[in-house]
Amino acid sequence: MEKLASFYMERCACFVSKCFLKKIVILLIALGGLLVTGCAVLTNGLSGSLYIESSKVQQIIDKAEYPAKRMQELKDDPVGAPLVKSYEMFAALMEQKNMDSSLVDSMRLSRRAFFEPWKRVSDSICNSASGELSLEIRAVYEAAFRFGIESDYDYLLKEQDSLHYEERKDVSFEDKVEFLKSSGLGEMMAHFFVVRQDVPYFVKPAKTLNELETLVSSPWEEREKYKVTNMACMEKNPLGQETLVLTKEYSTLLDAFMGVDPKYAFPFSDSNLKEDFLMVAISVVSRHWGHGFHYESFPAIMSVVFNENRTLAILNVMGSFNTGGFYSLEKRDGVWKTVAHKNTWIM
């Protein structure tokens, strides 16, 4: 009986061993087949986490090298070189415990060498936009801008000093601006205010604001029918900031500086430091999901709708990186006045 049991145990062990070896051989053959066929099974989306295509690996390498390539291109560009030089000094200063005053001065001079030519280009563009419609759009924009500052002041004052709101609500406009700036709102501290030069506009028949408002129910309504014109720039906006025009050239230069790749379009590791560096001069805000950056300052004009004799207007304004709304304005005694404002859309 013991011999019989021993015989069967040996047969079982042999069987198990053969089966195991057979499975290993089958597995090796299968793996070989996968490699020959280009890992079709593993790349079909079911097991993608186990395998990375060589093209994907190259994309990862490209992502890592792209910002460095763009910065090198900027160094070789006569317009962009001062910006890179200034930023490198800024990054060095951030690593120091004690600020080197001579390095701070050199950094500021290099940064100025980038922004002063941009200001001259902007002035030239703004001076060329002097038609009646361009001036009208500027006046509408400025009236809405001032209304926004008044509203922000009221809101912030109630939040910070509700007990003394009544006695402080009727201060001068200049005092309201200083109060908002002292509250630490970064975009208000920037030296320049960046605008787009082209403004979509539309003319609709309406005799009252209510009638015009009903005709403009969506910020994207009939956009394909809008015409485009230049806006006469404010020399200084109501916050006292000087105007820069976001031309295609300077938008491309800023994208290169921030490391924005059209294929991948997401912020790189040093983008926050670059935002801090630029914030002294202009406001830079990340777009949705990190898809590049807003260089245009807020509130940013999106479009304007006039009635036929241009006494009524609905201004579509982007108030932050993902929200916006409509300002309803009326021209009274030759001056544009904001009648109402509604935040109505989210991107």
Side-chain angles (χ1 to χ4, degrees):
M1 189 71 179
E2 289 179 3
K3 289 183 179 179
L4 185 63
S6 176
F7 171 77
Y8 280 115
M9 286 180 69
E10 287 178 6
R11 291 291 300 271
C12 287
C14 180
F15 177 76
V16 170
S17 176
K18 287 180 180 178
C19 286
F20 181 70
L21 287 172
K22 184 178 180 182
K23 287 184 178 180
I24 287 185
V25 170
I26 292 171
L27 181 60
L28 288 172
I29 291 171
L31 286 172
L34 285 174
L35 290 172
V36 170
T37 58
C39 297
V41 174
L42 291 177
T43 58
N44 68 356
L46 297 176
S47 306
S49 60
L50 301 178
Y51 177 78
I52 300 177
E53 300 173 77
S54 60
S55 61
K56 299 282 186 185
V57 174
Q58 187 58 50
Q59 287 180 9
I60 292 171
I61 294 171
D62 290 345
K63 287 180 185 180
E65 293 179 350
Y66 192 83
K69 290 179 181 177
R70 297 298 293 272
M71 288 293 274
Q72 186 57 51
E73 290 172 6
L74 270 181
K75 282 184 179 180
D76 300 333
D77 184 282
V79 180
L83 188 65
V84 178
K85 184 179 178 182
S86 180
Y87 172 69
E88 289 175 344
M89 292 184 226
F90 175 81
L93 284 166
M94 292 300 99
E95 294 179 359
Q96 295 180 3
K97 292 183 179 179
N98 298 313
M99 289 288 185
D100 182 338
S101 59
S102 61
L103 189 58
V104 171
D105 291 340
S106 297
M107 177 201 70
R108 288 172 176 168
L109 284 172
S110 292
R111 184 162 51 195
R112 191 180 303 163
F114 174 78
F115 283 100
E116 285 184 348
W118 187 2
K119 181 69 172 79
R120 288 195 293 271
V121 169
S122 299
D123 288 345
S124 176
I125 294 171
C126 291
N127 290 336
S128 66
S130 57
E132 184 180 344
L133 180 59
S134 299
L135 294 169
E136 204 81 274
I137 292 174
R138 181 183 68 185
V140 168
Y141 188 26
E142 187 170 3
F145 205 131
R146 292 179 70 90
F147 182 87
I149 289 174
E150 299 269 6
S151 300
D152 288 344
Y153 174 80
D154 284 348
Y155 175 80
L156 203 57
L157 184 61
K158 287 177 182 176
E159 288 284 310
Q160 294 188 6
D161 193 6
S162 59
L163 291 176
H164 303 95
Y165 171 74
E166 289 299 327
E167 60 193 75
R168 294 182 62 187
K169 70 175 183 178
D170 294 325
V171 299
S172 68
F173 184 80
E174 290 71 24
D175 286 341
K176 291 179 180 180
V177 168
E178 289 305 312
F179 175 76
L180 290 174
K181 287 184 175 181
S182 67
S183 300
L185 300 176
E187 63 272 16
M188 292 189 175
M189 304 304 293
H191 182 79
F192 295 107
F193 188 80
V194 182
V195 301
R196 284 180 296 176
Q197 182 61 15
D198 293 334
V199 179
Y201 75 97
F202 201 52
V203 177
K204 293 195 173 188
K207 295 181 180 180
T208 66
L209 265 178
N210 287 338
E211 190 178 345
L212 190 61
E213 287 170 353
T214 59
L215 295 173
V216 187
S217 58
S218 164
W220 323 118
E221 182 187 29
E222 299 181 304
R223 288 304 294 268
E224 71 281 355
K225 296 181 182 179
Y226 278 55
K227 297 179 181 179
V228 175
T229 188
N230 292 332
M231 178 178 64
C233 314
M234 292 178 272
E235 185 176 343
K236 286 188 177 182
N237 70 11
L239 293 170
Q241 296 167 317
E242 295 183 82
T243 299
L244 290 176
V245 177
L246 188 63
T247 64
K248 185 176 181 180
E249 178 189 11
Y250 278 95
S251 179
T252 301
L253 287 170
L254 289 172
D255 272 347
F257 175 71
M258 296 301 295
V260 176
D261 183 344
K263 288 192 292 185
Y264 310 115
F266 66 93
F268 293 93
S269 57
D270 62 347
S271 61
N272 288 336
L273 187 61
K274 287 178 178 177
E275 286 181 50
D276 292 341
F277 166 71
L278 288 172
M279 192 60 76
V280 174
I282 62 173
S283 173
V284 177
V285 179
S286 178
R287 292 181 182 273
H288 267 310
W289 319 117
H291 285 244
F293 298 87
H294 290 281
Y295 306 121
E296 187 180 6
S297 304
F298 302 123
I301 183 170
M302 302 292 288
S303 62
V304 59
V305 177
F306 289 106
N307 66 340
E308 291 175 311
N309 58 356
R310 283 195 227 133
T311 57
L312 306 171
I314 305 293
L315 187 69
N316 181 19
V317 168
M318 192 172 188
S320 71
F321 79 101
N322 68 339
T323 62
F326 293 115
Y327 287 84
S328 300
L329 300 100
E330 188 173 357
K331 200 173 191 180
R332 300 172 182 171
D333 299 324
V335 178
W336 284 101
K337 298 289 184 181
T338 303
V339 177
H341 171 237
K342 295 178 182 177
N343 285 315
T344 54
W345 55 267
I346 298 175
M347 293 179 68

